[in-house]
Amino acid sequence: MNTHPTSPRDAGIDQRLRRLEDRLAIQDLAHLYGFVMDERDIAGLDSLFTDDAHLGSADGVFDADGLAEIAKTYRARFDALGPTHHFVHSVIPRFDSPGPDTARGLVSGHAEVVRNGETMAVALRYHDVYRRTGRGWRIAERVMGYMYYLPVTEYAAAMTTENRSRVYAEPRPADWPSVLHGHDLDWLRAFYTGTPWG
């Protein structure tokens, strides 16, 4: 039994084709983000985010509203970074919002970075909201979280601990797996049960 509000089979061919095109465009957007980050292309942020987008992080370090503030946030981040390589593993968009021009998504990935002269590895997740604009799909909200962010020399030992976020002066707890940190799984279950969102 399909619990999603609208089964793709119930839609006409034009609507189904548009959804496939939307999915591909959102997947391209998620991958383009990595290229823009790795090349420090501040001007390219306009091709990723809506003008009123929100950028946040589960640990509260990122909290920027609007394209200008997001650009300022990334400039500060780039100042601490050397070479980086972002790569995306999965992009799961959902189109169950009240209108056809909004979607939410889960993105998983990794990054290899040099931060303050130290080689680090990062396991990333992004909780996204996407919006169709006159210039195509853009990220309207992105909240990132980390399973780990740590020097590669500490990887083996750090993975056995809760404090796997070692990018700041003091080690911090990782953001996920959620169940290991006392959080519920409502956010995940919404993606496979068709729970409405506003």
Side-chain angles (χ1 to χ4, degrees), residues 46 132 143 161 171 182:
D46 182 58
R132 189 196 313 274
V143 177
T161 72

Side-chain angles (χ1 to χ4, degrees), residues 1-44:
M1 178 178 173
N2 192 332
T3 58
H4 293 276
T6 303
S7 169
R9 285 180 224 130
D10 297 336
I13 189 69
D14 289 343
Q15 185 178 352
R16 291 168 66 186
L17 179 59
R18 184 169 190 180
R19 274 294 172 247
L20 287 173
E21 293 172 338
D22 290 342
R23 289 181 68 88
L24 290 173
I26 288 170
Q27 288 171 358
D28 285 351
L29 179 65
H31 286 277
L32 180 61
Y33 174 88
F35 286 94
V36 170
M37 293 298 104
D38 293 340
E39 296 298 336
R40 281 110 168 120
D41 183 12
I42 293 295

Side-chain angles (χ1 to χ4, degrees), residues 22-120:
D22 290 342
R23 289 181 68 88
L24 290 173
I26 288 170
Q27 288 171 358
D28 285 351
L29 179 65
H31 286 277
L32 180 61
Y33 174 88
F35 286 94
V36 170
M37 293 298 104
D38 293 340
E39 296 298 336
R40 281 110 168 120
D41 183 12
I42 293 295
L45 294 175
D46 182 58
S47 68
L48 300 175
F49 293 96
T50 62
D51 291 339
D52 62 347
H54 172 74
L55 176 68
S57 59
D59 62 9
V61 172
F62 286 89
D63 187 16
D65 291 306
L67 201 51
E69 284 300 310
I70 290 172
K72 182 178 175 183
T73 297
Y74 279 121
R75 279 192 194 96
R77 182 184 193 193
F78 295 155
D79 286 346
L81 294 176
T84 64
H85 181 200
H86 288 73
F87 41 103
V88 171
H89 299 307
S90 61
V91 183
I92 307 173
R94 284 288 309 275
F95 300 95
D96 55 1
S97 72
D101 298 326
T102 306
R104 60 180 162 163
L106 294 177
V107 178
S108 68
H110 277 81
E112 301 165 347
V113 307
V114 174
R115 182 182 172 93
N116 296 322
E118 188 165 28
T119 304
M120 306 187 88

Side-chain angles (χ1 to χ4, degrees), residues 137-190:
W137 284 94
R138 297 290 187 271
I139 300 167
E141 180 176 356
R142 168 157 280 190
V143 177
M144 62 186 76
Y146 309 108
M147 180 190 169
Y148 57 80
Y149 195 146
L150 45 80
V152 294
T153 55
E154 297 178 20
Y155 176 82
M159 283 297 288
T160 64
T161 72
E162 182 177 312
N163 294 327
R164 296 184 303 276
S165 183
R166 301 190 176 188
V167 65
Y168 307 112
E170 295 296 323
R172 299 181 182 189
D175 300 317
W176 47 276
S178 299
V179 294
L180 297 183
H181 299 285
H183 304 294
D184 65 53
L185 293 178
D186 292 347
W187 61 271
L188 176 59
R189 292 176 179 140

